[in-house]
Amino acid sequence: MKVIVVKNYEEASQKACEIMLDIVKSNPQANLGLATGSTPVRMYELMREDHKKNGTSYKDIKTFNLDEYFGLDQSHPQSYHYFMCHNLFNELDINMENVHVPKGQGNIDEECESYNKLLKENPIDIQLLGIGSNGHIGFNEPGTPFDSVTHKVDLKQSTIEDNARLFFDGKIEDVPTQAVSMGIANIMAAKKVLLIACGEGKAKAVYGMAEAPKTIDLPASALQDHLDCILIADEAAASLLKNK
């Protein structure tokens, strides 16, 4: 695992954007694995700015998102499909037929099977990740087997309550109780993995991911076995690392 320590979130975003753009420019038909959440927002903004300024094209790029709430239509403002359009796709020249986010409606088991098939047919060139304070990646919470593939996730009550407070105006009844997520084996199958971690709240997870023994109790620790994994951490998130 290559560890890059930067000063702050802005520098982490700039470095991550540089790595992502290198893939896009060197392979205009690349398959990008993308993530949602607050961590990649600035990186996506920089990608939009680069497209506008330098004309970097995404017309033949395919994208595959990590996860999606189950029970939300793609147009719902809290869906991850909506998030990706709002934060990235709407200002790129990408063909929306090449954009893949797990479907949040229909038969959840069939969607998991369909997404696994899609990922097998389209090997990911670079998979972007954030990390939860408990070491989760995607919706793969502690205890998720390392050999898991795209699967149904029953959201924990604490997650539902947090999401109600943060994203659903406190209306717990509006929060989906399930999600579809790439499994850890899907993530490990990517040719390159790029994980961004910022803030003191991520320090224990970053240490566990990079330097503590591998364990399913900290899902991101599986990445210790990846042949091309880059961790970009700001000084606060990297504060517990011994080898940096």
Side-chain angles (χ1 to χ4, degrees), residues 58-126:
Y58 295 80
K59 64 184 181 66
D60 294 318
I61 294 289
K62 292 181 181 179
T63 67
F64 302 84
N65 262 74
L66 277 170
D67 44 25
E68 177 62 284
Y69 287 120
F70 199 81
L72 298 186
D73 182 82
Q74 290 182 346
S75 62
H76 192 287
Q78 300 302 341
S79 77
Y80 290 166
H81 189 280
Y82 182 96
F83 174 99
M84 292 305 305
C85 290
H86 177 73
N87 286 284
L88 185 63
F89 300 145
N90 287 348
E91 294 183 38
L92 301 182
D93 62 342
I94 197 165
N95 180 350
M96 288 303 293
E97 291 183 358
N98 290 334
V99 167
H100 304 282
V101 181
K103 291 185 178 65
Q105 295 185 317
N107 183 302
I108 192 168
D109 294 317
E110 289 179 1
E111 177 54 24
C112 291
E113 185 178 342
S114 174
Y115 211 65
N116 275 321
K117 184 173 183 290
L118 193 64
L119 293 171
K120 284 184 180 179
E121 294 170 350
N122 298 273
I124 302 296
D125 292 290
I126 183 169

Side-chain angles (χ1 to χ4, degrees), residues 9-63:
Y9 175 69
E10 177 65 24
E11 288 188 12
S13 301
Q14 290 177 3
K15 185 62 180 178
C17 182
E18 178 185 314
I19 293 169
M20 188 68 72
L21 290 178
D22 183 61
I23 297 288
V24 172
K25 292 176 181 179
S26 62
N27 180 8
Q29 296 181 317
N31 294 328
L32 309 181
L34 301 179
T36 55
S38 58
T39 299
V41 168
R42 176 57 178 156
M43 188 200 77
Y44 290 152
E45 184 178 19
L46 292 168
M47 290 172 69
R48 300 196 317 262
E49 291 175 0
D50 166 78
H51 172 69
K52 184 176 181 180
K53 180 180 178 181
N54 301 315
T56 302
S57 179
Y58 295 80
K59 64 184 181 66
D60 294 318
I61 294 289
K62 292 181 181 179
T63 67

